[in-house]
Amino acid sequence: MTNLALGPSWLDPDHLINTYGLWGVLLIVFAESGLLIGFFLPGDSLLFTTGLLVATGTLHQPLALVAAAIAVAAVAGEQVGYLFGRKVGPSLFRRPDSRLFKMENIEKAHAFFEHHGPKAIVMACFVPIVRTFTPIVAGVSRMNYRTFLTFNLIGGTLWGAGVTLLGYWLGQIEFVHKNIEAMLVLVVLISVVPIGIEYLRSRRKAGKGAEAGQQGASAAGVRADGQAPAEHESLSAPRGGRHRAQKR
């Protein structure tokens, strides 16, 4: 398979799989699913390529074993992320930025979790970067563990096994073999679509909030102008009454 240069060569899915085999895939999936240092690792493209290589016979393990092992690695990684967030707690949000840690990533995951609730655990599995930090935020938020475990099992299985099976199925189509680079680019693009959608939503919501604030300020100014004459009349009326009383 031709290497796909979407980043450093050592992050290329084909290179990683051919070099480290299934165990390397499982370790990467585990780290990318819940460890702070794993957010930059390949996810969707790695699973898709794994399925393709199983279909072509490059990986000799049975498909069922590969899909099940990847699902277990994804669930286990999220479990570690949840326990880490629960242990560290709010102090995580006061941690300074570094080369591998950006507070912006935590804040995005927190906003995603707050917006979607428990189902965010499932949805986040299909969103790069957010996938890494959402379990941690769930732990920080003290989400009920049984609830987290339920959605964690669903999301980890759907993502880990599902994307791998998709790669295996498409790997049996001749068109995919002839256009493997384009297919992997498509997988990467599809994986970042949710991020783009959330970004546009947040921009639209921020714009509406600013517009509402301006309208509120304008309305307050109109009310203030409307009240000024009434106050003037109420203050001037008693003075007129006192003046007439003095003339009498």
Side-chain angles (χ1 to χ4, degrees), residues 177-200:
H177 280 291
K178 292 181 178 180
N179 300 276
I180 186 63
E181 293 87 356
M183 293 300 299
L184 289 177
V185 170
L186 180 62
V187 169
V188 173
L189 292 177
I190 291 175
S191 69
V192 300
V193 165
I195 295 179
I197 293 175
E198 287 299 317
Y199 174 76
L200 293 176

Side-chain angles (χ1 to χ4, degrees), residues 200-216:
L200 293 176
R201 283 180 178 176
S202 62
R203 285 286 301 271
R204 189 180 301 121
K205 188 177 296 184
K208 289 182 178 179
E211 183 178 349
Q214 292 177 354
Q215 291 177 351

Side-chain angles (χ1 to χ4, degrees), residues 232 234-244:
H232 178 72
S234 63
L235 291 174
S236 61
R239 285 198 296 268
R242 285 196 300 270
H243 181 68
R244 286 192 296 271

